[in-house]
């Protein structure tokens, strides 16, 4: 009985997944095909401004598809038992600096403030995955807040628990309390007029939480109408970890 239910649940989850992915693929594809058709059939009747507008939509929708496919590949790799994690003891500061710089290039009017505590502990993580976590959180903080607002990244140490805390804080649209628990689920987006205007597929935080937990860390979120704060917490690397590279499946 239990076995059957589990199998049925898995099958249902699989069907739901296919249906959501198909929907996510169909929306941008329909829009690309529509605007390409219009350009092909009515090119001469369109003003140069209209042509440019339609081409920009095609480009934007293609980017949406690329993001979706990249996220799906990440999810599929994460779920495969064989994903290799290359652990290294690292100083988080240069990786955070690099992630902030990468996001900053896309959001020219936001301000980015980084505060790094003194003598921060090193952490044992897979560097690429750690950077992906930071990129997702800093990108969301920028994406869900207005131009000219500030995104603050703080690195601090909790001496009692011997952990490194990475906080990413924005002054954006915030997340209602009743939505907080489900934003880490696969394909979960907050349904509000404000979020609908912002592009996304609801996979970023699922990927982020899965990667953080896979590396032994923890992620929390607090939010109000004034903005949100995500915190990622990792245990400090031990002296035995130092200098050792570990590969784990
Ligand atoms: P998306 O691709 O939609 O951004 P995520 O998984 O990264 O997907 O985030 C899930 C949802 O959580 C988003 O759709 C948004 O509603 C909400 N969210 C995430 N980060 C923030 C933030 N910093 N401020 C406000 N809402 C956020």
């Amino acid at each position: 009985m239990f076995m059957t239910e589990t199998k049925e649940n898995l099958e249902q989850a699989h069907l739901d997944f296919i249906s959501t992915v198909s929907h996510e693929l169909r929306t941008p594809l329909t829009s690309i095909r529509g605007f390409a058709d219009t350009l092909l059939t009515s090119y001469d009747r369109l003003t140069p401004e209209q042509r440019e507008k339609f081409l920009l939509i095609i480009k934007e929708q293609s980017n949406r598809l690329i993001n979706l496919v990249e996220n799906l590949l990440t999810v599929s790799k994460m779920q495969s038992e064989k994903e290799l994690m290359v652990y290294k003891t690292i100083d988080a500061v240069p990786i955070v600096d690099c992630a902030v710089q990468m996001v900053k290039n896309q959001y020219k009017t936001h301000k980015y403030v980084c505060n790094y505590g003194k003598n921060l502990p090193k952490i044992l993580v897979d560097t690429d995955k750690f950077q992906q976590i930071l990129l997702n959180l800093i990108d969301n903080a920028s994406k869900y807040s207005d131009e000219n607002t500030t995104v603050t990244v703080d690195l601090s140490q909790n001496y009692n628990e011997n952990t490194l805390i990475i906080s990413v804080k924005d002054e954006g649209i915030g997340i209602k309390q009743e939505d907080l628990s489900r934003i880490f689920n696969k394909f979960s987006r907050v349904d509000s007029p404000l979020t609908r205007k912002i592009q996304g597929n609801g996979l970023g935080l699922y990927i982020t939480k899965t990667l953080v937990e896979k590396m032994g860390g923890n992620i929390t979120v607090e939010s109000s109408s004034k903005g949100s704060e995500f915190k990622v917490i990792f245990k400090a690397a031990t002296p035995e970890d130092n200098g050792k590279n570990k590969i784990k499946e």
Side-chain angles (χ1 to χ4, degrees):
M1 179 71 174
F2 178 72
M3 286 290 287
T4 325
E5 264 177 25
T6 310
K7 197 171 161 233
E8 274 167 10
N9 285 348
L10 276 176
E11 271 169 16
Q12 191 52 49
H14 192 60
L15 288 175
D16 289 348
F17 181 75
I18 292 176
S19 144
T20 312
V21 172
S22 310
H23 176 78
E24 290 291 327
L25 287 170
R26 196 176 53 187
T27 313
L29 279 172
T30 309
S31 157
I32 291 170
R33 191 179 58 184
F35 285 105
D37 260 350
T38 312
L39 281 165
L40 282 170
T41 54
S42 320
Y43 193 82
D44 293 336
R45 274 179 276 136
L46 298 170
T47 63
E49 291 74 32
Q50 282 174 316
R51 288 178 204 149
E52 186 175 347
K53 188 177 159 203
F54 293 171
L55 284 169
L56 281 174
I57 296 176
I58 292 178
K59 186 174 166 206
E60 205 177 279
Q61 295 300 316
S62 309
N63 282 340
R64 184 172 160 189
L65 280 175
I66 291 169
N67 281 342
L68 174 66
V69 171
E70 275 172 2
N71 279 345
L72 285 172
L73 283 173
T74 307
V75 169
S76 127
K77 264 197 270 163
M78 274 183 346
Q79 284 175 344
S80 116
E81 298 290 299
K82 294 213 166 61
E83 191 188 26
L84 279 188
M85 304 287 282
V86 183
Y87 284 95
K88 227 172 152 188
T89 301
I90 59 146
D91 174 4
V93 172
I95 321 275
V96 173
D97 266 341
C98 178
V100 170
Q101 205 52 49
M102 281 164 84
V103 179
K104 208 174 176 176
N105 285 335
Q106 291 175 48
Y107 299 89
K108 306 273 190 223
T109 63
H110 281 73
K111 273 188 269 126
Y112 293 87
V113 175
C114 296
N115 301 313
Y116 302 140
K118 287 209 179 97
N119 302 322
L120 294 171
K122 294 193 169 180
I123 49 175
L124 183 70
V125 289
D126 177 311
T127 314
D128 289 346
K129 310 269 182 326
F130 179 59
Q131 190 174 54
Q132 187 169 3
I133 291 165
L134 296 165
L135 285 173
N136 285 352
L137 294 178
I138 303 168
D139 186 63
N140 274 353
S142 317
K143 190 163 82 162
Y144 294 106
S145 59
D146 283 337
E147 293 185 346
N148 299 313
T149 57
T150 303
V151 173
T152 310
V153 184
D154 280 334
L155 260 61
S156 59
Q157 177 171 17
N158 180 329
Y159 288 95
N160 290 337
E161 309 211 332
N162 202 17
T163 50
L164 176 75
I165 304 165
I166 301 143
S167 147
V168 179
K169 208 165 162 183
D170 63 57
E171 301 171 342
I173 61 173
I175 307 162
K176 287 205 198 105
Q177 297 306 305
E178 64 261 34
D179 291 321
L180 280 180
S181 61
R182 59 178 193 87
I183 55 168
F184 294 102
N185 295 347
K186 227 187 269 175
F187 291 115
S188 183
R189 301 202 76 209
V190 174
D191 189 26
S192 78
L194 282 175
T195 348
R196 252 175 266 139
K197 276 192 269 168
I198 301 161
Q199 241 175 57
N201 51 44
L203 285 173
L205 284 181
Y206 168 74
I207 291 172
T208 304
K209 185 174 163 66
T210 310
L211 290 178
V212 169
E213 288 177 353
K214 213 165 177 176
M215 296 194 282
N218 191 20
I219 184 165
T220 62
V221 57
E222 278 175 33
S223 194
S224 73
S225 56
K226 294 199 177 101
S228 309
E229 179 177 18
F230 286 80
K231 277 187 190 161
V232 173
I233 301 152
F234 281 112
K235 273 250 163 264
T238 62
E240 296 84 69
D241 293 328
N242 260 332
K244 264 195 240 161
N245 287 359
K246 293 181 185 166
I247 297 184
K248 267 203 234 164
E249 274 186 9

